[in-house]
Amino acid sequence: MQSVQVGALRLPAIAVGCMYLDRIGEAERREFIAAALGEGMNFFDHADIYGGGECESAFGEAFAKLNIPRDSIVLQSKCGIVPGKMFDFSEKHIVESVEGSLKRLRTDYLDGLLLHRPDALMQPEEVAAAFDKLERQGKVRYFGVSNMHPYQIELLKSCVRQPLVADQLQFSPAHAGMISCGTEANMLTEGGISRDGYILDYCRLHGIAVQAWSPFRYGFFEGVFLGDPKFQKLNDVLEKIGKKYSVDKAAAVAAWILRHPAKTQVITGTTKVGHLLDIAKGADVAITREEWYEIYLSAGHILP
Ligand SMILES: NC(=O)c1ccc[n+]([C@@H]2O[C@H](COP(=O)([O-])OP(=O)(O)OC[C@H]3O[C@@H](n4cnc5c(N)ncnc54)[C@H](OP(=O)(O)O)[C@@H]3O)[C@@H](O)[C@H]2O)c1
């Protein structure tokens, strides 16, 4: 498995997102985690809110039964969303959220903690106090953010001492505003509008790893583009390029994300062993520049 540098760690290019782990049975969950580990995918992405906490609990229970050393896996979680109510980056919320995650995951430390979505009332001093406390207590080893644009990261950096090593962002061929705002710079086109403050270039300049969430979806959880007739051209091109490298369409998507020179990690959401193993094959495929652009254009983007 190809790896990606995230702060001081080298992590598998294909990460296992755990947002739907509560939707499968216990035995299936153990099989899923074991299969991921068997392929070198030992990085698991969580959040305190996934399944209302059930996903972390389900993982913790399954992992305990597998009897595998804790230090052979990397656990990342997120905090800062109070579903349906507010975002909360207060010191109290961050610290209590991590303590809840630790309990549910049955571990005494998180490898990584991300701030899930920007809190409008964010006070960087409070975040810094929470991070210092969690680091001092050995409860979190690295820190990062999610869904943030450059100035939000800069604001945090004005107080936070620890490096912010990752920004988890939605990214797929069908959700590629991070690319189009660059290729369509200074154009009056829809794609030329930056909705993220040019975060991709910022992350590259500052050595921040991009973690691509929802690699197979479009819109805001509107659906999966794989096999969707609305994305016929994209599916046809993914199929053709996948065939060339003897992989399926999902692996071709992973190869497309990983082909970008930013330090991107693919955060998958499948809970099916077969799908996960198919996607993993994409990490070993190096598509050409021409193929990368062909996939991009087939998703409906333009080149001015
Ligand atoms: N930071 C954030 O704000 C944020 C937001 C959302 C998600 N996330 C993270 O990102 C992870 C992934 O999110 P996601 O679940 O939306 O991403 P995703 O992997 O793009 O979507 C998962 C969907 O893709 C389907 N799929 C995967 N492989 C397939 C294949 N070969 N053929 C057909 N369908 C296939 C899955 O179906 P099957 O289950 O049937 O395979 C599932 O319905 C989450 O688990 C979470 O860790 C982070």
Side-chain angles (χ1 to χ4, degrees), residues 241-254:
I241 292 172
K243 253 193 196 131
K244 176 181 158 191
Y245 295 99
S246 307
V247 297
D248 77 351
K249 291 189 284 185
V253 172

Side-chain angles (χ1 to χ4, degrees), residues 63-94:
F63 187 72
K65 288 197 177 143
L66 282 169
N67 221 359
I68 293 167
R70 166 66 181 89
D71 63 4
S72 64
I73 64 165
V74 180
L75 289 178
Q76 174 178 280
S77 195
K78 309 184 209 77
C79 68
I81 296 181
V82 183
K85 268 184 151 178
M86 60 183 178
F87 297 153
D88 189 348
F89 285 2
S90 65
E91 179 183 351
K92 182 172 182 291
H93 180 80
I94 293 171

Side-chain angles (χ1 to χ4, degrees), residues 165-208:
V165 302
D167 192 356
Q168 194 170 110
L169 296 151
Q170 186 175 1
F171 185 51
S172 76
H175 188 95
M178 291 197 298
I179 302 290
S180 66
C181 69
T183 50
E184 296 170 48
N186 198 29
M187 302 290 296
L188 299 176
T189 49
E190 173 69 15
I193 299 166
S194 173
R195 293 182 168 79
D196 56 51
Y198 307 102
I199 188 66
L200 194 58
D201 293 326
Y202 176 86
C203 286
R204 292 182 73 183
L205 279 167
H206 294 269
I208 296 174

